[in-house]
Amino acid sequence: MYEDEVLATHRQEVRRGTVVLACLLTLAQPNYGYALLESLERAGFPVDANTLYPLLRRLEKQGLLSSEWNTDEARPRKFYATSPDGAALAELLYRDWVDIDRSLRTLKGTT
Amino acid sequence: MSPTLTDRYVSALTRLLPARQRKDIAQELRASIADAVDERLDAGASERDAERETLAELGDPVLLAARYTDRPTALIGPRYYGDYRRLLGVLTTIGPGTAIVVTVAQVLYAVPLGLALLAGVGAGLAATAVSAAALTALFAVVERLPRRAEPWAPVNLPEGGDSVGSALGGIAFLLGVGALLVLSPWFTTVVDPSGQGIPVLSPALWPAWAPLIVGVLALAIVFAVVTEYAGWSIPLALANAIVVLGGFGLFVVAATNDLFLNAAFFDTIGWGAGAAGTITVVVIALLGVNAIVETIGGFVKARRRAAAS
């Protein structure tokens, strides 16, 4: 059958877009980079640190996340939170995901 | 105190970031690295291993910096890679060609065969290296030109069908003119009574004028490729007019100051002393018509593109 490498690339392709959606949904509660990495992993969205950190910056630049430095603790951390625009986009993407799920079920004939 | 691995990692990364982002990203990344190291220490790793593993997981700082900046990580991307490879393939034939011409020219001047071969191979290698480097630099620049803002439409298809073919024709012509110019002092079969070679082009071109003209030819090659790939626009048509009319003006000044053809050459082959002057006038007229057509053509193509989009 197919090789493991083929499987890995196709899975990655299917999951690629879900990381953005998972970030926007999770960050309804403000959080910082490393903690977000861990909570995404626990929630079933494993993502590499070197993918997540630049992604947070990109989403912030697009106005989908807002950020704030928290200097209360000894280690200053940058906290990100989903902006109203980001929440609206997350809602839209989530509905897309549900639609895709429904369409796939129809294709499989298991509705 | 010597810098830690984390210090080295962060500075290797921020070096590649725009100045205004450096401090913020560095501070955030240091906190993220420290968090990840703490997690590993809690799990029982040694301090040394914890730091190493954390940084290894982040990967090459060059690639991470590229992700932060959305910069292209390839010198020449997929858009131009195919054309680049094809042109590079064609350009590598310049090497053997130059080697043969230079070797023959040296032998004609009674240089021993061994030395002539050495000079030929040297010249061939130099010609290959220089043209390949110039082509690579050119495509790297084209890759970084701002992409056109309007969406792609069929009107943007190259005029000639085969874009590399038409660009190649112009480039081959310019390279040929350059080679003739550079080799003309050595490569001639016409000799005066004392056995000294008489070049077809004016000897006064050397040494001052020839490099200038080679420079103008190089500029024209660059321009041919840029207009081919970036598409015509009014600013490019203006620049085209300056290059074309300026180049023509330079040629007229040179030709009317006996810096084009060598009158002695045509006299020796029996065409008469006036032949060089007549040929010069005809060439000036042809180049003049060509310059006008090229200049107007640039504006017409730019207007057509603007109207079609």
Side-chain angles (χ1 to χ4, degrees):
Chain A
M1 240 170 75
Y2 50 77
E3 294 162 36
D4 287 352
E5 209 176 308
V6 174
L7 172 71
T9 16
H10 285 299
R11 286 193 115 160
Q12 201 184 357
E13 284 297 319
V14 168
R15 290 174 154 269
R16 193 186 297 276
T18 62
V19 174
V20 169
L21 180 53
C23 276
L24 293 175
L25 291 175
T26 312
L27 287 173
Q29 300 295 319
N31 211 345
Y32 59 93
Y34 186 73
L36 178 65
L37 194 71
E38 300 242 285
S39 73
L40 284 175
E41 169 125 35
R42 274 197 304 275
F45 294 93
V47 51
D48 290 333
N50 56 20
T51 302
L52 182 68
Y53 299 154
L55 174 69
L56 291 172
R57 296 264 163 180
R58 196 152 58 239
L59 295 177
E60 185 191 7
K61 208 169 143 192
Q62 292 169 346
L64 302 170
L65 296 178
S66 58
S67 75
E68 206 178 333
W69 278 97
N70 182 327
T71 49
D72 295 347
E73 290 176 57
R75 189 174 290 161
R77 290 191 176 109
K78 193 170 186 175
F79 275 71
Y80 295 90
T82 308
S83 71
D85 276 359
L89 179 73
E91 189 52 40
L92 202 74
L93 292 178
Y94 179 73
R95 262 183 274 143
D96 281 354
W97 183 264
V98 172
D99 285 347
I100 292 169
D101 179 60
R102 193 182 314 126
S103 306
L104 285 174
R105 283 169 194 272
T106 312
L107 281 182
K108 273 185 77 183
T110 57
T111 36
Chain B
M1 203 175 82
S2 66
T4 63
L5 279 180
T6 303
D7 293 334
R8 285 162 60 192
Y9 189 94
V10 172
S11 81
L13 176 93
T14 50
R15 215 162 39 80
L16 303 168
L17 298 175
R20 63 192 158 71
Q21 285 189 313
R22 267 179 212 164
K23 215 183 132 205
D24 202 64
I25 290 181
Q27 203 172 0
E28 185 185 18
L29 194 64
R30 276 181 186 282
S32 301
I33 291 171
D35 285 338
V37 169
D38 286 351
E39 179 83 16
R40 285 195 157 85
L41 290 176
D42 288 348
S46 73
E47 209 153 307
R48 194 182 125 101
D49 288 347
E51 189 180 33
R52 274 169 193 253
E53 284 166 21
T54 301
L55 296 180
E57 209 172 75
L58 280 175
D60 191 336
V62 174
L63 296 180
L64 184 56
R67 288 184 172 179
Y68 271 117
T69 54
D70 281 333
R71 227 180 276 148
T73 47
L75 184 65
I76 296 163
R79 194 176 158 90
Y80 301 115
Y81 186 70
D83 288 349
Y84 169 72
R85 281 289 301 271
R86 284 170 70 190
L87 275 171
L88 196 63
V90 173
L91 281 189
T92 49
T93 60
I94 289 174
T98 308
I100 292 167
V101 171
V102 170
T103 306
V104 170
Q106 298 262 336
V107 169
L108 286 178
Y109 271 79
V111 173
L113 185 62
L115 280 180
L117 272 175
L118 206 61
V121 170
L125 288 175
T128 310
V130 169
S131 52
L135 184 79
T136 307
L138 184 61
F139 269 87
V141 170
V142 172
E143 174 75 34
R144 280 152 188 77
L145 287 178
R147 297 278 153 84
R148 32 176 110 83
E150 81 262 33
W152 186 89
V155 68
N156 296 330
L157 285 170
E159 307 267 331
D162 185 355
S163 72
V164 175
S166 62
L168 260 187
I171 290 170
F173 171 75
L174 293 167
L175 283 173
V177 173
L180 176 67
L181 189 73
V182 172
L183 295 175
S184 117
W186 296 289
F187 199 64
T188 176
T189 51
V190 178
V191 290
D192 65 12
S194 70
Q196 190 71 35
I198 305 175
V200 63
L201 296 183
S202 170
L205 279 169
W206 290 92
W209 279 76
L212 178 67
I213 297 172
V214 169
V216 172
L217 288 173
L219 193 66
I221 292 176
V222 169
F223 206 78
V225 174
V226 169
T227 50
E228 190 64 42
Y229 286 105
W232 285 90
S233 62
I234 294 295
L236 265 185
L238 273 174
N240 180 55
I242 293 169
V243 171
V244 169
L245 296 177
F248 176 65
L250 189 69
F251 177 77
V252 172
V253 171
T256 51
N257 283 289
D258 287 330
L259 281 166
F260 175 42
L261 295 175
N262 187 4
F265 177 91
F266 293 94
D267 208 13
T268 312
I269 62 173
W271 286 21
T278 312
I279 296 174
T280 302
V281 170
V282 171
V283 171
I284 286 180
L286 286 176
L287 287 179
V289 171
N290 177 61
I292 292 167
V293 169
E294 289 278 321
T295 301
I296 296 174
F299 285 104
V300 169
K301 284 175 195 160
R303 294 251 337 237
R304 200 185 300 156
R305 273 186 61 100
S309 61

